[in-house]
Amino acid sequence: MTAHLLDGPPAENLPEVPTASDWCRRWTNRTPSWRHRSDGGFDARRFEVHPLPEKSAKNFVLEHHYSASYPAATRRFGLYRVDAESPQLAGVAVFGTPAGANVLTRALPELRPNVESLVCSRFVLTDACPGNSESWFLARCFSGLRASGVKGIVSFADPVPRRSADGTLTAIGHIGRIYQATNAVYTGRGAARTLILLPDGTILHDRAAQKIRKQEQGHRYCEEKLIRFGATVPRAGANPAEWLRDALADIGARRLRHRGPHRYVFLLPANRREREAIRLGDPPLTAYPKVPDPPG
């Protein structure tokens, strides 16, 4: 955990988004906008879904998704608008391997992680998509995954909004309205934890901190991000763990107490009997979340 790297006041405990709604979120150049599902407008004849090369998916996610980060990916799909002179990439879904294998084995203990089960780590649509595009896009992605032997998908919805150091809203927070509309199984909360929030409102994940502390592959990228916020350049021979602790203090990183994201599971087999044969690690809950949990 990275939380111990920061001393000072107790971690912030931010309020969660208050309710579910029929508004669909869009991200264009990391700026949020909204479409109401009642607006309609989706016409399947104007869209196509295709597997996407790594570079194209990564560039799109980094350009548009609020996290400004790209995860380890196994399968990638692009949603294209095809009603113009040339196809326009308007959405990307990324499925892959989580930072810890237990994310998959806890939710789907009898499926082979990263082979029969994957995590949906990015799902982003731009303003070019009408208000009810998500379910159609997601169904086409699942069809492609099913054909390659994937039987289960785990996805998380983070209900906690986040702001940058200057007060700019960088993450609105959501409770998985799309997943609820597509009949995902709700299995409660992921693990509660304390996160490290950087000045731009993004999170320093445990894996990135570990890369720095142990000087693993990719540590330079993680270090350079902190240096851009004002951290000093590591001196030759400096202790990486000590440098990380000092760098976070120097740039004004904040601690954020998080009660855990909402966890959803999709069972992909087309046959009902096959779906019911897949054991869940946590029992399904009968009610989807509609209001935030009480603070605590």
Side-chain angles (χ1 to χ4, degrees), residues 31-116:
T31 300
S33 61
W34 300 90
R35 297 287 183 273
H36 199 279
R37 294 180 67 239
S38 64
D39 292 343
F42 180 78
D43 184 345
R45 295 171 297 179
R46 299 179 178 178
F47 289 88
E48 292 180 1
V49 176
H50 298 286
L52 202 59
E54 178 84 0
K55 183 177 181 181
S56 299
K58 183 175 182 178
N59 289 343
F60 188 93
V61 169
L62 293 179
E63 179 180 0
H64 296 294
H65 196 266
Y66 69 88
S67 69
S69 63
Y70 186 77
T74 301
R75 298 291 302 277
R76 303 151 300 274
F77 297 90
L79 176 67
Y80 290 88
R81 285 204 68 147
V82 293
D83 55 351
E85 291 184 4
S86 60
Q88 174 191 4
L89 184 60
V92 166
V94 178
F95 301 87
T97 59
N102 64 325
V103 170
L104 294 173
T105 56
R106 175 177 174 175
L108 296 162
E110 295 179 351
L111 298 185
R112 288 176 293 165
N114 308 324
V115 178
E116 294 180 311

Side-chain angles (χ1 to χ4, degrees), residues 24-28 31-33 35 125-127 129-131 133-134:
C24 306
R25 184 175 54 176
R26 298 287 179 268
W27 290 96
T28 302
T31 300
S33 61
R35 297 287 183 273
L125 276 65
T126 67
D127 287 332
C129 301
S133 306
E134 290 90 345

Side-chain angles (χ1 to χ4, degrees), residues 25-231:
R25 184 175 54 176
R26 298 287 179 268
W27 290 96
T28 302
N29 298 321
R30 300 181 63 196
T31 300
S33 61
W34 300 90
R35 297 287 183 273
H36 199 279
R37 294 180 67 239
S38 64
D39 292 343
F42 180 78
D43 184 345
R45 295 171 297 179
R46 299 179 178 178
F47 289 88
E48 292 180 1
V49 176
H50 298 286
L52 202 59
E54 178 84 0
K55 183 177 181 181
S56 299
K58 183 175 182 178
N59 289 343
F60 188 93
V61 169
L62 293 179
E63 179 180 0
H64 296 294
H65 196 266
Y66 69 88
S67 69
S69 63
Y70 186 77
T74 301
R75 298 291 302 277
R76 303 151 300 274
F77 297 90
L79 176 67
Y80 290 88
R81 285 204 68 147
V82 293
D83 55 351
E85 291 184 4
S86 60
Q88 174 191 4
L89 184 60
V92 166
V94 178
F95 301 87
T97 59
N102 64 325
V103 170
L104 294 173
T105 56
R106 175 177 174 175
L108 296 162
E110 295 179 351
L111 298 185
R112 288 176 293 165
N114 308 324
V115 178
E116 294 180 311
S117 62
L118 299 173
V119 66
C120 178
S121 49
R122 295 289 184 272
F123 190 83
V124 55
L125 276 65
T126 67
D127 287 332
C129 301
N132 49 357
S133 306
E134 290 90 345
S135 58
W136 188 86
F137 181 27
L138 201 57
R140 297 313 180 275
C141 294
F142 288 168
S143 179
L145 293 169
R146 185 185 303 116
S148 65
V150 179
K151 298 180 179 179
I153 295 294
V154 179
S155 193
F156 293 92
D158 187 348
V160 179
R162 294 193 294 275
R163 294 183 181 274
S164 63
D166 65 5
T168 301
L169 186 66
T170 59
I172 294 173
H174 69 113
I175 60 172
R177 183 67 180 84
I178 299 169
Y179 309 143
Q180 296 177 18
T182 48
N183 299 316
V185 179
Y186 178 61
T187 61
R189 292 274 195 162
R193 61 197 309 189
T194 298
L195 305 176
I196 298 298
L197 203 62
L198 299 177
D200 64 348
T202 60
I203 292 171
L204 177 70
H205 293 286
D206 292 346
R207 185 72 184 96
Q210 179 179 326
K211 288 180 180 180
I212 294 174
R213 287 195 299 265
K214 297 187 176 182
Q215 295 294 279
E216 297 175 349
Q217 183 177 0
H219 71 92
R220 291 188 183 278
Y221 172 82
C222 301
E223 292 166 354
E224 289 170 358
K225 183 173 184 178
L226 300 183
I227 292 169
R228 289 196 296 270
F229 290 130

Side-chain angles (χ1 to χ4, degrees), residues 239-276:
N239 183 297
E242 293 179 359
W243 177 84
L244 175 59
R245 181 193 61 208
D246 294 341
L248 292 175
D250 290 343
I251 67 176
R254 294 166 288 156
R255 292 189 298 168
L256 172 65
R257 184 60 184 165
H258 198 298
R259 298 197 296 279
H262 296 293
R263 181 177 54 239
Y264 295 87
V265 178
F266 293 93
L267 303 177
L268 301 192
N271 182 281
R272 178 178 176 180
R273 179 173 295 180
E274 292 181 16
R275 291 196 303 271
E276 293 177 346

